Amino acid sequence: MRNITFIFLIIILTFQIIFSKCLFSTENVLKPQKTNLEIIQDLSTKILDSVLDTFSKSITDTINYSFIPSTNSWVIDHTVSRRLKESTNKIIKTNNFDEKKFSIELGISNINVGYDNIHREKIFGSKKGNRTIKVDLSIKVSKDNELLLVKNHIEKYSDTIFVDSINELENTNIPITCGKLSEAPLTERLIIPAVIVTSIGVIVYLFFTIRK
């Protein structure tokens, strides 16, 4: 009886070692990541910086700035206007525009957050996925009553996140920071139950075989 128990314990230990090395992911922490809102604001300021770099020689001592009002404009407006003031050290006017001065008007065309390629590095590892955030702003630049630029500018950001951390990355009070999570592949959803059932079956079979 002791020999049977000893052999059974060896079998269990062997399965545990195999599972821990081949099925479970040892990596459970990614580097601290920015929230979706922070990334949206970063991409928006990146778009602004691109415009300012393009027209650096046309910027006057006073800049007319406006952001087209929309449901989500407040998410970006304050961040962009602050960036504009810090990077140019100019007087920023948001009303009573002087049409001879450098003017920039921004607006939200589209902001999208998405999660795809949901997967596990190992069968029982934590779920990971790709996060992609896209910011599309409309831009209109003018000076001396002349249009210098009218276009849409898109900036994208991608990284890898743990699916379990999505609630921390999103802000449910700001819908544009929330994205749709794609489903894990069907094969993955079938493999895990199959592995569990098969493993239990093998252990039970070996246990009763040894007893005989």
Side-chain angles (χ1 to χ4, degrees), residues 9-26:
L9 290 175
I10 291 177
I11 293 172
I12 296 297
L13 180 61
T14 302
F15 268 91
Q16 184 178 0
I17 293 173
I18 294 173
F19 269 52
S20 63
K21 290 191 175 294
C22 299
L23 304 180
F24 291 95
S25 174
T26 56

Side-chain angles (χ1 to χ4, degrees), residues 34-41 113 115 131 133 166 168-171 176-179:
K34 290 186 176 182
T35 64
N36 293 350
L37 176 59
E38 290 173 328
I39 293 172
I40 289 171
Q41 292 173 333
V113 176
Y115 311 100
R131 170 177 63 170
I133 298 178
I166 288 179
E168 299 174 5
L169 301 174
E170 297 180 340
N171 186 332
I176 60 171
T177 68
C178 303

Side-chain angles (χ1 to χ4, degrees), residues 27-30 33 126-129 160-166 169:
E27 181 186 6
N28 54 16
V29 178
L30 288 174
Q33 294 175 297
S126 298
K127 280 187 178 181
K128 290 182 179 181
T160 301
I161 51 97
F162 282 117
V163 172
D164 290 341
S165 71
I166 288 179
L169 301 174

Side-chain angles (χ1 to χ4, degrees), residues 1-2 32 51 67 109 119 204-205:
M1 183 66 182
R2 288 182 178 179
V51 174
F67 203 104
S109 293
H119 64 282
V204 171
Y205 171 78

Side-chain angles (χ1 to χ4, degrees), residues 114-116 118 161 163 166 179-183:
Y115 311 100
D116 59 12
I118 306 304
I161 51 97
V163 172
I166 288 179
K180 185 177 180 180
L181 181 66
S182 63
E183 291 188 357

